[in-house]
Amino acid sequence: MVDYHAANQPYQYGPSSAGNGAGGGGSMGDYMAQEDDWDRDLLLDPAWEKQQRKTFTAWCNSHLRKAGTQIENIDEDFRDGLKLMLLLEVISGERLPKPERGKMRVHKINNVNKALDFIASKGVKLVSIGAEEIVDGNAKMTLGMIWTIILRFAIQDISVEETSAKEGLLLWCQRKTAPYKNVNVQNFHISWKDGLAFNALIHRHRPELIEYDKLRKDDPVTNLNNAFEVAEKYLDIPKMLDAEDIVGTLRPDEKAIMTYVSCFYHAFSGAQKAETAANRICKVLAVNQENEHLMEDYERLASDLLEWIRRTIPWLEDRVPQKTIQEMQQKLEDFRDYRRVHKPPKVQEKCQLEINFNTLQTKLRLSNRPAFMPSEGRMVSDINNCWQHLEQAEKGYEEWLLNEIRRLERLDHLAEKFRQKASIHEAWTDGKEAMLKHRDYETATLSDIKALIRKHEAFESDLAAHQDRVEQIAAIAQELNELDYYDSHNVNTRCQKICDQWDALGSLTHSRREALEKTEKQLETIDQLHLEYAKRAAPFNNWMESAMEDLQDMFIVHTIEEIEGLISAHDQFKSTLPDADREREAILAIHKEAQRIAESNHIKLSGSNPYTTVTPQIINSKWEKVQQLVPKRDHALLEEQSKQQSNEHLRRQFASQANIVGPWIQTKMEEIGRISIEMNGTLEDQLSHLKQYERSIVDYKPNLDLLEQQHQLIQEALIFDNKHTNYTMEHIRVGWEQLLTTIARTINEVENQILTRDAKGISQEQMQEFRASFNHFDKKQTGSMDSDDFRALLISTGYSLGDAEFNRIMSVVDPNHSGLVTFQAFIDFMSRETTDTDTADQVIASFKVLAGDKNFITAEELRRELPPDQAEYCIARMAPYQGPDAAPGALDYKSFSTALYGESDL
């Protein structure tokens, strides 16, 4: 700071004190072109010169008093350059070069030149003003120099709606005085003569200081003196002019009035700051309110979807089997309704929820807000996990339903087979115990005993032949138990009765044989023909019974190959019938031979073969039954063959459509992947193209509906496999849902890119350059890249990366540490690096302005400065201020501002 004291003292250069003038450089050309250059007319109107001397002197002293000094004569006190340098230091807040010691003219010129050089360094053109004129006390040049200083440091930085300097100051005056009667500010001379404009400026900002309604337009001196005295007493604006100087001049000096008015502008700049601060806060609060609304919508949609999933999963996990096929088929139909009617809207809701979440996060990033963290259990990942659980339960449920239907179908078949074989066996065993317990051998003749022995041997042969049937019955009952047949209790009871009876027959057979063998030695003769008949008739009879059983046996097949196998086996059986017929005729011939011998030898027979109960009539009757069952079996097999051919047609029909739809879905998925990577044209063009692409996909839906109809026909026909295609309906459904979700997500990514571009002011060329750079380093063309490729991308854009800086950037673009960087994350990062956003500190500063530089703010101040809804928004959310300087009703705006940006209160 220049030492301004007595000339006899040596010059000293002390520390600079901070000034309140505007700093920074800038061209004065735009404004100075509108001013009269001082080298054009070196003569001033005497009245104007007087006004300028008085105004400029007062203006200089308003700053010099901060350094403890002042000037008396403006053209004398600046001649040595010392107070001129001091003035510049105070108003700029910068240190000037050290002044030269000495009182000679050359020292004064050098000091003034230092001051003029400093002024020139601030972008001011000093036209025709030289150090010699100032040192020589040239009043006009001195006043011209001070005017350039006032322009540069008091007026140049005034800006209202992109105007500057004189126009900006004039526009400010017009706006502030517009509501006042008898005031019409059009210039900086005549408009101020009556003093009302000065009083209006003060009343607009400090209404308690001026009784404006009592002022009269026809009393300018009183008006001017009132304004000047109030400004000096309450606003710290020194009196720069006398009322008589202004009133007594036809046209007051414009520069003097501008200088005086600029002091009013700076005195009331705090109010302007408050207005700017209020606008900033309103903007921030509006963004926050909109984001909170989106968050509430997300929470509600997420809760509804999760509740539906939680209700649905227990239903899908309910695997309690039903007793009948009809009940299980009803459950399958309910499941089809769920897949066709209930689930598709939920798929759309889930996709829309993810899109809304991504859009909300993008808006939060663009407004420099913290990322949205849904309440516990409602994260997108939580919803995806629940959805995966749902789909796992769903897949297992359908598989279980089909297996249960197949199981019940097999159970019904086995149960009917069990009943049929059990009935045949029970019919055969009827009366066998009584026969085995009969003691007829005690009174029989020798020939009768021998006949009884042979008869018993035939029965044992018959008994052995029935052993297989008993084992089959027991095996079927065991299988029914293993398959959890609902009527297993009755099956087991019947099976146990058959087995117990079989054991009893075995025991009785053994006892009767012992009794017969005991008397066998006493037997001498035996009728060989009857015996041979009995031995051949019994197996043949069993063969016919087995044939009738096989011909009446139920069958179940699932493929054309299986039915053709049964038809082939049946044809093979029919090929054995001629041999069986010959065996039948041979057996009947034996019986006829026995009768012929008896008749020829006049032997009186008892009328029946003593060794067997199988009479020729029985053999012929059963043979006739076999002959009747063969064509019935032919008809049943042909009907089943026709059914399987129909099923094969359904398989081929479904496979033909599935083999078209499946690859189409896969192709569209690949095309979407390429489109999302190789996007051309503007983002709006890309968005339009993607939406047209989405409509083409939706238009393909009838093909899936047709496939669903064909799939339902297949399930209703109980067809469980299809060798003609690798695509199941489940694969097609999942692929279709993924296709719809992928195109919707891709559209949302482009919409978010448009949102980012517009919010951040990114040009289309920049966006295309970002996309081209990203695609170049996305070597796998997946739409994302690993950290090494991303580092190379950053280096290509001009970043000089150390490990610490790169790790910082990765934490921004990959907050979940997945190891991958998406294109959306890349453009978000680039937009943040190249654009400015509001910060918590800026909002705190704005609130501080509204609070009058206090550390707290009151509800009254908020309601006065902000719109009603936003004022109440702040009041409802601000905590009471707890500082030592707290006043009643004080609110903590600092904690509130940091909370808006997710930062902790410092």
Side-chain angles (χ1 to χ4, degrees):
M1 183 179 294
V2 178
D3 189 345
Y4 56 84
H5 296 295
N8 291 332
Q9 295 182 3
Y11 296 136
Q12 294 184 3
Y13 203 66
S16 173
S17 65
N20 63 353
S27 174
M28 290 284 290
D30 293 341
Y31 177 71
M32 291 299 292
Q34 303 173 25
E35 301 300 315
D36 295 329
D37 293 336
W38 286 89
D39 60 344
R40 293 179 184 172
D41 184 2
L42 299 181
L43 296 178
L44 284 171
D45 181 278
W48 288 5
E49 182 177 348
K50 179 182 178 182
Q51 292 175 22
Q52 287 184 15
R53 279 179 177 275
K54 189 174 294 185
T55 305
F56 292 0
T57 299
W59 184 86
C60 292
N61 284 335
S62 70
H63 294 288
L64 287 172
R65 68 183 179 184
K66 299 172 184 176
T69 188
Q70 64 180 14
I71 61 172
E72 299 296 336
N73 190 323
I74 196 167
D75 52 350
E76 289 294 331
D77 293 349
F78 286 140
R79 291 177 62 183
D80 60 5
L82 295 178
K83 289 188 178 180
L84 180 59
M85 294 176 71
L86 178 62
L87 174 65
L88 292 172
E89 282 191 347
V90 171
I91 63 178
S92 69
E94 300 181 26
R95 187 185 294 275
L96 270 68
K98 186 176 181 181
E100 294 187 8
R101 299 178 181 277
K103 303 177 183 178
M104 299 176 63
R105 177 180 173 82
V106 65
H107 298 138
K108 296 178 180 180
I109 290 174
N110 289 340
N111 286 337
V112 173
N113 274 328
K114 290 178 181 179
L116 296 179
D117 290 342
F118 178 79
I119 296 172
S121 72
K122 299 303 180 181
V124 179
K125 295 180 180 180
L126 298 170
V127 181
S128 301
I129 299 176
E132 291 81 358
E133 287 85 354
I134 306 301
V135 173
D136 291 339
N138 187 315
K140 298 173 182 58
M141 292 299 176
T142 302
L143 290 174
M145 177 190 66
I146 297 301
W147 173 241
T148 61
I149 293 173
I150 293 171
L151 276 176
R152 173 59 183 84
F153 293 102
I155 298 177
Q156 179 184 335
D157 291 331
I158 296 174
S159 176
V160 178
E161 287 191 356
E162 301 181 358
T163 64
S164 61
K166 181 178 179 181
E167 291 80 3
L169 184 59
L170 184 62
L171 180 59
W172 178 79
C173 293
Q174 291 171 338
R175 286 189 171 180
K176 296 301 181 181
T177 62
Y180 294 88
K181 63 181 180 179
N182 297 325
V183 177
N184 183 17
V185 178
Q186 297 298 325
N187 50 55
F188 286 110
H189 40 80
I190 302 301
S191 297
W192 303 84
K193 282 191 67 174
D194 59 12
L196 292 178
F198 284 108
N199 283 277
L201 281 180
I202 298 173
H203 186 269
R204 179 64 181 270
H205 296 93
R206 296 288 300 276
E208 76 278 7
L209 300 180
I210 298 289
E211 293 182 296
Y212 187 83
D213 291 338
K214 294 184 178 181
L215 300 176
R216 302 199 320 272
K217 186 174 179 64
D218 58 359
D219 191 4
V221 174
T222 300
N223 297 340
L224 289 167
N225 283 329
N226 181 66
F228 296 163
E229 290 169 4
V230 169
E232 186 171 35
K233 183 177 181 180
Y234 295 104
L235 303 179
D236 198 27
I237 299 175
K239 187 175 182 181
M240 296 184 178
L241 289 171
D242 292 325
E244 292 75 14
D245 294 336
I246 297 176
V247 175
T249 306
L250 182 63
R251 184 176 184 268
D253 181 62
E254 187 177 48
K255 297 177 179 59
I257 297 297
M258 282 183 67
T259 302
Y260 213 156
V261 172
S262 70
C263 294
F264 283 87
Y265 175 87
H266 291 296
F268 296 131
S269 62
Q272 189 70 22
K273 291 179 182 178
E275 183 178 344
T276 302
N279 290 337
R280 178 187 294 277
I281 291 171
C282 289
K283 176 184 174 184
V284 170
L285 295 180
V287 171
N288 223 59
Q289 288 171 310
E290 180 184 2
N291 290 340
E292 286 184 359
H293 178 68
L294 293 175
M295 293 174 191
E296 291 169 359
D297 285 348
Y298 174 88
E299 290 283 345
R300 177 178 52 77
L301 290 173
S303 297
D304 292 345
L305 183 58
L306 287 171
E307 178 60 26
W308 178 82
I309 293 174
R310 292 190 183 102
R311 289 199 314 269
T312 305
I313 287 178
W315 174 66
L316 293 172
E317 290 180 341
D318 179 14
R319 307 298 166 85
V320 177
Q322 303 299 312
K323 294 181 179 181
T324 66
I325 291 179
Q326 291 74 23
E327 291 173 317
M328 291 304 297
Q329 285 177 332
Q330 182 57 49
K331 292 177 75 69
L332 180 61
E333 185 61 32
D334 293 341
F335 180 73
R336 290 195 190 109
D337 286 342
Y338 156 79
R339 288 307 305 264
R340 290 194 304 264
V341 178
H342 302 293
K343 185 184 177 186
K346 299 302 178 183
V347 173
Q348 294 297 321
E349 288 180 17
K350 176 177 175 292
C351 178
Q352 190 62 45
L353 193 69
E354 293 179 6
I355 289 173
N356 291 350
F357 181 84
N358 292 335
T359 301
L360 173 59
Q361 299 293 38
T362 299
K363 288 186 176 181
L364 290 172
R365 285 195 301 271
L366 294 177
S367 58
N368 201 26
R369 300 302 194 275
F372 170 53
M373 290 296 294
S375 57
E376 184 175 359
R378 293 188 177 92
M379 294 285 291
V380 172
S381 58
D382 297 325
I383 294 173
N384 286 333
N385 290 336
C386 289
W387 191 265
Q388 289 177 1
H389 188 186
L390 174 75
E391 292 188 331
Q392 290 171 358
E394 176 183 303
K395 181 179 179 181
Y397 187 73
E398 185 175 29
E399 183 179 350
W400 173 75
L401 285 173
L402 295 174
N403 287 337
E404 274 300 305
I405 290 174
R406 296 178 70 174
R407 184 182 71 83
L408 290 174
E409 183 183 44
R410 176 166 177 76
L411 281 175
D412 284 352
H413 171 69
L414 288 174
E416 182 60 28
K417 192 171 185 178
F418 173 84
R419 288 189 287 271
Q420 186 182 57
K421 288 184 177 291
S423 297
I424 293 173
H425 178 77
E426 289 166 346
W428 178 83
T429 58
D430 184 37
K432 293 295 190 291
E433 287 189 14
M435 182 268 291
L436 290 172
K437 292 177 180 179
H438 190 211
R439 304 177 67 85
D440 54 346
Y441 54 84
E442 293 179 350
T443 58
T445 63
L446 182 59
S447 61
D448 292 335
I449 291 299
K450 286 190 176 290
L452 289 175
I453 291 175
R454 300 297 180 268
K455 182 178 179 181
H456 190 71
E457 288 176 351
F459 173 77
E460 285 181 327
S461 176
D462 197 9
L463 187 68
H466 280 79
Q467 177 69 32
D468 289 340
R469 182 179 288 111
V470 174
E471 291 175 355
Q472 290 174 7
I473 291 171
I476 293 172
Q478 179 62 29
E479 189 171 0
L480 287 170
N481 281 316
E482 292 173 353
L483 293 176
D484 197 21
Y485 182 53
Y486 76 95
D487 199 23
S488 293
H489 174 73
N490 291 331
V491 169
N492 292 335
T493 301
R494 190 173 184 182
C495 180
Q496 188 62 47
K497 182 179 179 181
I498 290 173
C499 291
D500 291 344
Q501 185 185 43
W502 184 255
D503 292 338
L505 287 176
S507 177
L508 290 172
T509 300
H510 179 71
S511 298
R512 182 172 178 81
R513 181 172 182 81
E514 286 181 346
L516 291 174
E517 287 177 349
K518 185 177 181 180
T519 59
E520 185 181 11
K521 294 178 182 180
Q522 302 171 7
L523 303 178
E524 296 179 349
T525 61
I526 188 170
D527 188 347
Q528 293 297 328
L529 290 175
H530 280 180
L531 181 59
E532 183 180 357
Y533 172 87
K535 287 183 176 180
R536 293 181 68 174
F540 185 70
N541 182 61
N542 286 333
W543 176 85
M544 287 191 295
E545 288 182 349
S546 296
M548 288 188 293
E549 184 177 342
D550 291 340
L551 289 171
Q552 297 178 84
D553 188 21
M554 296 176 63
F555 58 84
I556 179 171
V557 296
H558 296 97
T559 65
I560 191 68
E561 290 79 11
E562 291 178 357
I563 188 60
E564 288 176 351
L566 290 178
I567 291 174
S568 176
H570 183 60
D571 290 341
Q572 185 177 1
F573 166 76
K574 289 193 293 185
S575 67
T576 64
L577 290 178
D579 291 338
D581 191 36
R582 284 190 288 272
E583 175 67 10
R584 180 183 65 84
E585 291 177 350
I587 293 171
L588 294 177
I590 292 172
H591 177 74
K592 291 178 181 179
E593 180 64 18
Q595 287 183 328
R596 187 190 65 80
I597 293 173
E599 291 174 357
S600 62
N601 292 286
H602 306 287
I603 298 173
K604 187 176 181 181
L605 299 176
S606 60
S608 62
N609 192 323
Y611 305 112
T612 181
T613 59
V614 182
T615 65
Q617 292 77 15
I618 291 175
I619 290 176
N620 286 331
S621 175
K622 290 184 177 180
W623 178 254
E624 184 178 352
K625 182 67 173 177
V626 169
Q627 294 296 311
Q628 293 172 353
L629 290 175
V630 167
K632 291 182 179 179
R633 186 71 167 185
D634 287 336
H635 179 70
L637 291 173
L638 289 176
E639 279 188 345
E640 184 62 30
Q641 185 181 38
S642 175
K643 175 184 174 183
Q644 291 303 322
Q645 287 172 345
S646 174
N647 288 352
E648 184 67 9
H649 172 71
L650 291 177
R651 288 189 184 95
R652 292 181 182 275
Q653 185 182 52
F654 175 84
S656 175
Q657 181 73 0
N659 289 336
I660 294 173
V661 174
W664 183 89
I665 291 175
Q666 182 63 33
T667 300
K668 294 302 176 184
M669 287 290 290
E670 294 171 356
E671 290 177 358
I672 292 172
R674 287 197 300 272
I675 290 173
S676 65
I677 294 173
E678 301 173 359
M679 289 184 174
N680 299 315
T682 66
L683 291 176
E684 285 75 9
D685 293 340
Q686 297 168 16
L687 183 61
S688 176
H689 178 59
L690 284 170
K691 288 187 175 179
Q692 290 177 358
Y693 203 83
E694 183 182 38
R695 285 193 293 272
S696 70
I697 290 175
V698 173
D699 290 342
Y700 196 76
K701 181 65 164 56
N703 293 282
L704 268 81
D705 296 337
L706 175 60
L707 199 61
E708 284 282 5
Q709 295 172 5
Q710 295 171 349
H711 178 65
Q712 182 168 347
L713 293 176
I714 282 180
Q715 286 200 328
E716 290 172 352
L718 298 178
I719 299 172
F720 302 106
D721 56 359
N722 195 339
K723 66 181 180 180
H724 303 298
T725 181
N726 292 325
Y727 295 99
T728 66
M729 197 63 229
E730 179 65 23
H731 293 153
I732 298 294
R733 290 176 187 138
V734 171
W736 177 253
E737 291 170 1
Q738 290 177 346
L739 179 61
L740 292 177
T741 300
T742 300
I743 186 64
R745 285 175 177 166
T746 304
I747 289 173
N748 180 244
E749 288 176 2
V750 176
E751 291 174 338
N752 283 340
Q753 291 173 24
I754 292 174
L755 188 61
T756 301
R757 181 199 66 189
D758 294 342
K760 297 298 185 178
I762 300 174
S763 66
Q764 182 62 35
E765 291 72 17
Q766 285 179 303
M767 188 64 73
Q768 290 176 343
E769 182 180 347
F770 290 159
R771 168 57 77 183
S773 300
F774 189 88
N775 287 348
H776 176 76
F777 289 94
D778 181 11
K779 305 193 183 303
K780 298 179 182 178
Q781 298 295 294
T782 60
S784 59
M785 60 180 68
D786 59 27
S787 58
D788 291 338
D789 290 340
F790 183 61
R791 182 190 287 268
L793 171 58
L794 290 178
I795 293 173
S796 74
T797 59
Y799 277 84
S800 178
L801 296 174
D803 289 341
E805 175 63 11
F806 181 68
N807 290 336
R808 179 191 73 80
I809 294 175
M810 284 300 294
S811 69
V812 173
V813 299
D814 182 23
N816 296 326
H817 306 293
S818 65
L820 296 175
V821 181
T822 64
F823 177 65
Q824 182 65 40
F826 170 62
I827 62 172
D828 284 345
F829 168 74
M830 293 303 292
S831 65
R832 281 198 300 273
E833 293 293 306
T834 57
T835 58
D836 295 326
T837 57
D838 292 319
T839 65
D841 288 340
Q842 290 173 331
V843 175
I844 291 172
S846 298
F847 273 118
K848 193 166 188 177
V849 171
L850 299 186
D853 208 36
K854 301 191 298 294
N855 291 324
F856 59 85
I857 195 167
T858 66
E860 291 73 16
E861 290 170 330
L862 287 170
R863 292 189 177 104
R864 185 179 67 237
E865 300 292 347
L866 299 179
D869 61 330
Q870 295 186 334
E872 299 306 323
Y873 177 84
C874 294
I875 293 169
R877 287 165 173 74
M878 282 187 182
Y881 177 69
Q882 304 294 336
D885 55 340
L891 299 175
D892 189 347
Y893 61 76
K894 182 178 178 183
S895 297
F896 172 74
S897 300
T898 55
L900 289 177
Y901 291 85
E903 303 172 8
S904 60
D905 192 6
L906 301 179

